[in-house]
Amino acid sequence: MSMRFQCAIAILLAGVISVMPGCRRQSDNPLEDGISAVARGDTKAAVVYLEQARVQNPADPSVLANLGIAHWRRGKTEAALQCLAQAAALAPSDPRPHEFIAAIHREQGRWAEAWNALGSANLRQPNAPRILTAMAAIDIHRKGSDNAM
């Protein structure tokens, strides 16, 4: 077998392996791997990667927020709320953990808790359209359409 043919086979096999499920190249950054796994919908892998990232950086609000999102997407709302609350405490000026907390409460029909979380987000980023829109939608559930914001 010629060297050229052997190289062609090696390149072909490398290409096939790289697109096979479970054969993705893993980086040295479990946070990036976890975020990528969440983005592609592989929340089980995301939790594994993000738990590794949490061991490496237990006080990183990005790790905790993304772990919270991964738990939420797996239906583990209490674990999600705990991670997001920790992220919010570690990044007191960031509205995003509060917005995700509100989304979880909204999904559960806990309108008052969702409203309070969005109020916290609004304090951190006043009058952001996405936050005000979410607050208006929740206010409709809380008060009815005639009495909302």
Side-chain angles (χ1 to χ4, degrees), residues 80-95:
L81 289 169
Q82 288 175 356
C83 289
L84 290 164
Q86 290 172 346
L90 291 167
S93 63
D94 190 350

Side-chain angles (χ1 to χ4, degrees), residues 72 77 80-81 84 100-108 110:
W72 177 34
T77 56
L81 289 169
L84 290 164
F100 282 106
I101 290 168
I104 292 170
H105 287 309
R106 182 176 59 233
E107 183 178 88
Q108 301 291 318
R110 297 189 300 240

Side-chain angles (χ1 to χ4, degrees), residues 120-140:
S120 293
N122 192 50
L123 288 174
R124 285 149 181 83
Q125 191 172 6
N127 300 319
R130 72 179 186 283
I131 296 171
L132 294 177
T133 300
M135 290 179 83
I138 288 172
D139 212 27
I140 289 171

